[in-house]
Amino acid sequence: MLARRLCRGLRQKAVGFASAPEVVIGGCGVAGASTAMHLAERGAKVTIVDPRPPFTASSQYSTECYRDFFLDAALVPFMSRSVDILEELAGEANEIGLSRRGYCLQVMKEIEDQPKALRAAVARKRFFMAFEAFALRASEYGGGPVRRHRDLPSYQKPSDDFRNPDLVGFDLIGGQENISSIFPFVAKEAKGLLHARRCGWLDSQGLGQKMLSKVQWDGGSDGTESRLPCDAVVNAAGAWMPNLSALLGSGSPLPLVNEVHAKVILHDTKAVIPQSFAPFMVWRDKVTLDWEDEVKQGLREMDDTAEGGTVNASAWIGEQPGGQHLRPAGNGWVVMLWEHLHKHLPIAEDPEMPIESFLDMYPELCLAGLQRMVPDLAQYEGQLGRDTVVDGGYYTNTPDGRPLIGPHGSPNFFLCGGMGTYGLMGSPAAGELAAMHVMQEKLPSYASACVWPRASRKTEPLVDLLDDSS
């Protein structure tokens, strides 16, 4: 099992901490590297154990985005702290390629068509547009001010300058003409736009290497078993966290479920998506794909789920959840995703990497879904070439959408993971919080929301801003 390989020779020594505790970290993705960095900064002696080279599992296949825009009272300050750390690591030279173009969510429908839980949260407020419910809740949790633009002179267009102090909070823009004047490539049917500003993307490998540069790294396991005397163990094994926890006999089973995270990398030779200013863009409305009758019949015949297969092609005929999204990736490339399409795929107890089980039609499905937001993507129908790439890793999710960070089970055993869709972006704060637990420091306000078992039950509904299928 991969978990066994992750911790060959990794044995916890049940002793109290010395002034410079020795800590073993299982897993060298970005979460493990972040934990190692924060521990090393606090004087700990750190050893990372992983059978793979650094950042070659899910960390390698990230969408490389970040945001402090969440509808969760604990995750907003958690992610705000994570973005703070990202900015510190970027430095004056912006060594991790941090952008600040934001997340733009778009919609055709009015507020009455949005989730009931969100309508109730703002039932006594006057709506400016459909996304006001999102912005008001996130702002209430500390996500920054909400700005309502009925004209555009007061709106600041997307920028890569992450140091700009004005690029925080949320901009609400209504009216097709206003939206088209900012993003002329967006569908004319778009009625409302929510631009979350303290968001963007970065170089994930650059981030990981920046973190690891602060830690002594021995190149990983050579396959031999040995004992590693240590004062604490941190489980940062990503998709393999349950395996590692079970192997060490530490505590109750972890409430983690792995899900395939797949992305399409399109060579945008027709320059449909402007590389110079387009933000991360999300279409929140449900859509029905425009299949010809002959194609619909072919999809029904392709469906093999009745025989135990995974190609659920009949499900692509009816109404599909919103949440399809894209961003420019530089040099004419565009990253496209539609998360719900792989949710049904079974994941082995010991997840494979690299993943081989993507849907064959995933590029075509992403392209069809995103045409509702960007109609000119239709130019690529039937023309996706060999340079269209599909890759991905895993989202490791908890039932309430909050991470698992803190002590668990055996003495001096700690968790750092379970961040689902925000694993890369959340790792800077997650590693810091794990290090604070290990070093027995005073913890931030959001720490109690991250421990397992939970200190208290989350009462807010779980809303995934990038996947409307839940």
Side-chain angles (χ1 to χ4, degrees), residues 5-38:
R5 295 173 61 202
L6 271 171
C7 63
R8 274 178 174 154
L10 187 153
R11 298 293 184 267
Q12 185 177 359
K13 185 174 65 175
V15 299
F17 291 157
S19 57
E22 298 182 11
V23 184
V24 171
I25 298 172
C28 195
V30 177
S34 174
T35 304
M37 176 186 72
H38 287 291

Side-chain angles (χ1 to χ4, degrees), residues 62 70 379 420:
S62 166
F70 286 81
Q379 297 177 60

Side-chain angles (χ1 to χ4, degrees), residues 66-69 99-104 143 145 147 149 154-159 164 166-171 173 194-200:
Y66 73 94
R67 57 187 164 107
D68 68 349
F69 180 23
S99 82
R100 188 52 57 82
R101 295 209 199 163
Y103 276 38
C104 279
R147 296 172 291 269
H149 301 273
S154 59
Y155 168 75
Q156 189 164 343
K157 292 186 177 181
S159 169
N164 187 334
D166 295 328
L167 297 182
V168 296
F170 309 91
D171 291 293
I173 298 171
L194 168 58
H195 194 169
R197 304 312 298 252
R198 201 178 186 212
C199 316

